[in-house]
Each structure stands twice: as structure tokens, then as C-alpha cells.
Amino acid sequence: MSDRVPTRFVKTLLGMVGEGGFDFSAMLSHAGLDFDPLDESLPGYRSEVSAMQYTRIYQQVLSLLQDETFGTSGSELVSPGAFRMMCYCIISCENLGQAIKRASEFYRTFFDERSQLYANFSDKYTRVGYRTENTTGNSLVAAADAYGLCMWHRFSGWLCGRSLELSRVDFSGGKPERVEKYEELFSCPLYFNQANDLLYFDSAFLSRPVVHTEHSLREFLRTAPYQLLIMENSTDGENLTAQIKAMIGFDFSGGFPSFETISSALNMSAPTLRRRLKREGTTFQQLKDSSRCEVAKLYLNRLDLSINEVAMQMGFTDPSAFHRSFKKWTGMTPGQFRNNCNARSVN
């Protein structure tokens, strides 16, 4: 996915804040937004924001409303923390199929039908989504409908470390005016005015192993939904790079998973994994450096963290070592990178 998010998604979040009578002007300032996402007629309005800006808004709304569903619920009935607890229930599953079944059971056990995750497995296709029907037959697909399905799609891909190629997506609503945006989001045939909102994908994907642990899950939850928003759309089934980077995760304060740990999780011998990575033109060390660089950029975008605090989050006990490493990775010092990001966010 690109590093850009439609402003209408921010508008949905701010609408939740507005309904509670809260002032969101400070949220916009903290996120680096210099325009009002609720008024398209004002000068300076932009149709897209960066994934980091959206994440900053999202996390502030989450903190204010104590709603941790990440937009993956089909309704407003899921209680605070439900998605978080569901994640901890499924993270120990062996494969994606088990994880989806357990997630579906979680919502079926604790919530009514409007909030339940529907999952149906067949020999050829798996269907995941919501069974709530469109009773009016007239309303167009809303951005929130697409966002909810998209987050489930990307979360499923995150669990197994690589994107899932979709076969089709059904929407109960009618065809929207800017259908190309939806086509870009899902990269598959879309069907409107269907009975339910559903994702379809090859059932062979259900056997893909869950590559994450509670450790990497904690970091995912802390920075969500950023990791889902920036996920690459590559569906190359032989691509180990994305899997390993997902397993390395976003939290380096406690060190890296070892090469042996990675190879064991992928059910490969160490020599086999080295050969596979060599065929993809990379090494484990290069993947570690690439992951550290990406995460360092993420932390430097958080203005609430000083550069020395970023260094500590990255596992560097000596801030000067972090400065040297970051300049080696990017050609810029951490301070220069932060200043450039702040300048871009207001342009």
C-alpha cells in the first residue's frame, strides 16, 4: 500500500470525536495537518494525508475514546479492547486458517450478529467478512465499509508475513462514484449490491504459518494501524523478504530474533534459508539493517520522542552510535531526517 491515506478516513475518525463533543484542533496540529479534513471547500484542503499523519490522528482518537477495534468491526457495537484481546487469543495459532476460525469464534462468543466476523472455508475459496445485509438496496458503499474489509485483509497478511492475493470482494452497498479508488485498494474484481460484505481468497493460503509472537504483537498494537497501512501489496508466494521483515518486527529494544529462530519458524534449515535469501538478492544482515532503518524513520516521525529516546527505542545504548548508523543507512543525520519530514508534512 502507498504511504498515503484518503482524507475521508481522517474525516470518519474526527466525526467520532465530534459526536462526543470534543475539540480536535490540537489533534490536527500534533499530526502535522494544516487544513480541516471536514471541509473540502476551504483553501489548502488535500484529498490524501500520509500514513504517519493518519496514524497520529488515529492513536489520539483511540486514546480519547478508548476504542481499540482499528476500524475492523462492521458496527459500533464492539467494546473497547476487543480487537486487542482477540489478537492475543489468535497469536499462538499455527496457521492463518486457525487464526481466522479463532477470531470468528471470539466475536461470535462475545458480541451480537452485527459485530461478528463471518468466515466460510471451502476447498477452493475462503470468504471472510460481515453477514449484515443491505436492507435498503439503495445506499452506496461507504469508505468505512471498504476500510473495515481492507484492514481485515491486511491484518491477515500481517499475521503470516506476506500479502494475500484476493480473488474478489463483495459489497452490500451500491457502486461508488470513485470506484477506481476501491479497485486500487483491493487489486481484484469488485462486486456491488451483493448480500454481504466479503473478502474472497484461495483456501490454499489458510495453511500459511502465523509468523508473529506476543512480542511482535505488542509493538504492532502500539503503533497500529501504521504497519497495515504501509504493507506492500506484493503477493509473490516465494518472497521470503517480507516474511522475515515481519518476523523481525518493529520493536528492537530487546534485540533481534536470531537467524536460527527465524529459520526454525519458517521450517527451514539455516543453509537453505541463506540460499533462498541469496536468490532474492539479499542477506539476513541486510534485512536487519533495512528493518532498523524503517523503524527508526517511524520513531523519528513521532515528535513526542527526542532523538536520544529514539536511539534507546532502537536498542542503542550510545546515541552517537545510532547517529552513525542512521547516517550510513540514509545519508542523513536523524535530526536532518526529522526536519525534512516536518517540512513535507505541511506542504
Side-chain angles (χ1 to χ4, degrees):
M1 193 173 190
S2 71
D3 192 49
R4 312 300 295 177
V5 178
T7 300
R8 63 181 181 274
F9 288 175
V10 176
K11 185 176 180 179
T12 299
L13 290 176
L14 297 181
M16 296 167 61
V17 175
E19 290 173 1
F22 299 105
D23 180 10
F24 53 78
S25 56
M27 291 185 178
L28 299 180
S29 177
H30 175 74
L33 293 181
D34 59 348
F35 68 97
D36 184 353
L38 298 182
D39 194 340
E40 299 183 24
S41 66
L42 292 177
Y45 178 89
R46 295 189 293 277
S47 62
E48 293 183 327
V49 299
S50 73
M52 177 53 63
Q53 289 172 327
Y54 176 81
T55 296
R56 288 175 181 168
I57 294 288
Y58 173 85
Q59 291 177 345
Q60 291 177 90
V61 172
L62 180 150
S63 177
L64 187 63
L65 303 181
Q66 294 300 299
D67 179 3
E68 299 166 350
T69 62
F70 301 147
T72 55
S73 170
S75 74
E76 300 176 354
L77 304 178
V78 176
S79 64
F83 185 83
R84 179 182 297 270
M85 293 309 300
M86 183 275 295
C87 286
Y88 280 107
C89 286
I90 70 173
I91 201 62
S92 61
C93 291
E94 292 184 5
N95 55 50
L96 179 62
Q98 291 181 3
I100 291 175
K101 285 183 178 179
R102 189 171 294 180
S104 178
E105 182 180 358
F106 177 91
Y107 285 108
R108 186 170 62 250
T109 300
F110 294 103
F111 303 102
D112 68 27
E113 185 176 356
R114 287 174 293 173
S115 299
Q116 291 175 9
L117 178 69
Y118 171 73
N120 177 270
F121 300 167
S122 69
D123 290 340
K124 187 173 183 179
Y125 291 117
T126 290
R127 297 181 296 167
V128 177
Y130 302 105
R131 299 181 67 177
T132 303
E133 297 186 3
N134 179 6
T135 57
T136 65
N138 297 319
S139 61
L140 301 182
V141 172
D145 299 326
Y147 179 77
L149 286 180
C150 179
M151 289 299 100
W152 274 115
H153 172 220
R154 293 188 175 276
F155 177 66
S156 297
W158 177 84
L159 283 172
C160 49
R162 46 183 163 162
S163 181
L164 304 180
E165 182 179 3
L166 294 173
S167 302
R168 64 181 277 178
V169 175
D170 286 358
F171 291 104
S172 59
K175 187 175 181 179
E177 293 182 1
R178 302 183 64 185
V179 69
E180 68 276 3
K181 294 294 184 180
Y182 293 77
E183 294 171 341
E184 180 182 347
L185 194 62
F186 294 102
S187 301
C188 71
L190 307 180
Y191 295 83
F192 302 96
N193 296 310
Q194 302 298 304
N196 311 117
D197 292 334
L198 295 173
L199 304 168
Y200 290 69
F201 57 85
D202 194 321
S203 289
F205 297 158
L206 297 175
S207 62
R208 289 184 175 179
V210 172
V211 300
H212 287 283
T213 64
E214 286 195 10
H215 181 76
S216 56
L217 174 61
R218 284 194 296 271
E219 180 62 18
F220 167 80
L221 292 171
R222 193 181 66 78
T223 61
Y226 184 78
Q227 293 190 49
L228 301 184
L229 295 173
I230 64 171
M231 276 187 65
E232 296 181 1
N233 262 331
S234 172
T235 55
D236 182 358
E238 298 302 315
N239 189 340
L240 286 174
T241 298
Q243 285 183 277
I244 293 175
K245 290 181 72 172
M247 296 169 74
I248 290 173
F250 272 50
D251 185 0
F252 304 130
S253 58
F256 287 89
S258 68
F259 186 79
E260 290 71 22
T261 299
I262 296 290
S263 60
S264 176
L266 293 171
N267 296 315
M268 294 184 191
S269 66
T272 297
L273 182 55
R274 288 193 183 93
R275 287 196 299 270
R276 293 279 298 275
L277 288 176
K278 185 177 181 179
R279 285 203 298 267
E280 294 186 9
T282 189
T283 66
F284 185 58
Q285 184 61 50
Q286 288 173 332
L287 292 182
K288 288 200 299 182
D289 288 343
S290 174
S291 295
R292 287 197 297 177
C293 181
E294 290 177 14
V295 175
K297 291 177 179 179
L298 170 62
Y299 283 137
L300 288 170
N301 267 293
R302 290 181 52 188
L303 301 183
D304 57 312
L305 295 176
S306 70
I307 292 178
N308 284 352
E309 288 173 329
V310 171
M312 292 181 62
Q313 292 280 357
M314 294 296 300
F316 288 87
T317 55
D318 180 5
S320 62
F322 170 62
H323 280 251
R324 289 193 298 272
S325 295
F326 190 82
K327 189 166 185 178
K328 178 182 177 182
W329 299 332
T330 66
M332 292 183 286
T333 66
Q336 289 171 333
F337 177 82
R338 173 169 280 180
N339 290 337
N340 287 349
C341 288
N342 289 338
R344 287 197 302 269
S345 70
V346 297
N347 293 328

